[in-house]
Amino acid sequence: MNAKRVFDVVFSLGGMLFLSPLFIVVVILLKLDSRGSIFYKQIRVGLNQKNFELIKFRTMYTDSDRAGLLTIGDHDSRITRVGCWLRKYKIDELPQLINILKGEMSFVGPRPEVLKYVALYDASQIKVLSVKPGITDWASIQYIDENQLLATAEDPESFYINTIIPSKITQNLKYIDHHNIWVDLKIISYTLKSIIRR
């Protein structure tokens, strides 16, 4: 077991224990706010193009993803009241600690994408799937307000495919070529600072 995996296991277990009171509060709020399951699960593409089920707290009304995979702006009508708050502070991402513990993800690594968009990757871009996906990365920090950015685009999906995805992949490829535990800690630190500033 390498240092990165040891870090992931220790801190995902510790995180779930430490955050368990918050999880209980979130579960209660979700149940009071709208009908539906507590968790939202979606197939993403992981290490070596292997699919896995990514877990989040549900932030939208049930079956809302049928209207589209992208969330446009902070006031997307599909987002619940509690969901808006969970998204703002990235609390909806915390159940991915389970994905980390299962070995499907890491704390730091390229954010996992859905099949629809991975199918558009070219031969060089597919290299981002040579490492475990993560909860955060350099691109997540840059695009922390991605929803608002998409809301300003004339064609949000085209903008996402032609501008945001290539930009994210470029940063992720640089990370793959130059990463270690200290770089990961730096990314985690910057991510937390970005969330707190919100």
Side-chain angles (χ1 to χ4, degrees):
M1 188 181 290
N2 60 35
K4 188 178 179 76
R5 181 58 183 156
V6 171
F7 179 91
D8 285 342
V9 171
V10 171
F11 283 92
S12 59
L13 277 172
M16 285 191 287
L17 289 173
F18 178 75
L19 295 169
S20 56
L22 174 62
F23 286 2
I24 293 171
V25 172
V26 171
V27 168
I28 293 171
L29 290 175
L30 285 171
K31 281 298 183 182
L32 292 174
D33 185 53
S34 61
R35 294 181 181 179
S37 62
I38 297 300
F39 298 109
Y40 171 72
K41 299 178 181 180
Q42 185 182 56
I43 298 299
R44 299 287 180 100
V45 184
L47 176 64
N48 297 324
Q49 301 184 52
K50 183 178 179 180
N51 296 342
F52 71 98
E53 203 170 48
L54 180 139
I55 309 170
K56 292 185 177 186
F57 282 123
R58 179 179 60 82
T59 58
M60 291 187 173
Y61 295 102
T62 303
D63 296 328
S64 291
D65 54 357
R66 293 179 181 177
L69 296 173
L70 298 178
T71 306
I72 313 300
D74 282 339
H75 301 291
D76 190 312
S77 60
R78 297 172 297 166
I79 301 175
T80 65
R81 289 174 299 175
V82 170
C84 184
W85 174 73
L86 295 179
R87 282 172 173 261
K88 180 177 181 180
Y89 297 105
K90 305 298 180 181
I91 295 172
D92 60 315
E93 307 282 357
L94 292 179
Q96 286 162 58
L97 291 172
I98 298 171
N99 291 119
I100 292 175
L101 193 59
K102 291 169 67 178
E104 298 165 334
M105 292 179 65
S106 180
F107 273 99
V108 179
R111 283 296 296 163
E113 191 57 89
V114 296
L115 289 162
K116 174 182 178 180
Y117 299 124
V118 171
L120 303 175
Y121 290 3
D122 62 30
S124 63
Q125 293 174 327
I126 209 75
K127 185 182 176 182
V128 298
L129 302 177
S130 66
V131 298
K132 281 184 184 178
I135 290 181
T136 187
D137 57 8
W138 290 123
S140 297
I141 298 168
Q142 179 180 345
Y143 290 101
I144 192 168
D145 293 317
E146 181 181 299
N147 293 346
Q148 290 94 314
L149 189 60
L150 290 171
T152 65
E154 185 175 337
D155 183 342
E157 182 157 41
S158 177
F159 182 71
Y160 183 73
I161 292 171
N162 297 312
T163 302
I164 294 181
I165 287 180
S167 173
K168 287 183 175 181
I169 290 178
T170 296
Q171 293 188 61
N172 288 329
L173 291 176
K174 289 179 181 177
Y175 167 79
I176 290 172
D177 291 335
H178 305 91
H179 76 279
N180 54 49
I181 192 67
W182 303 113
V183 170
D184 285 1
L185 290 172
K186 188 174 182 179
I187 291 173
I188 291 171
S189 173
Y190 283 10
T191 299
L192 293 174
K193 287 179 182 177
S194 296
I195 293 171
I196 291 171
R197 288 195 188 108
R198 304 189 89 197

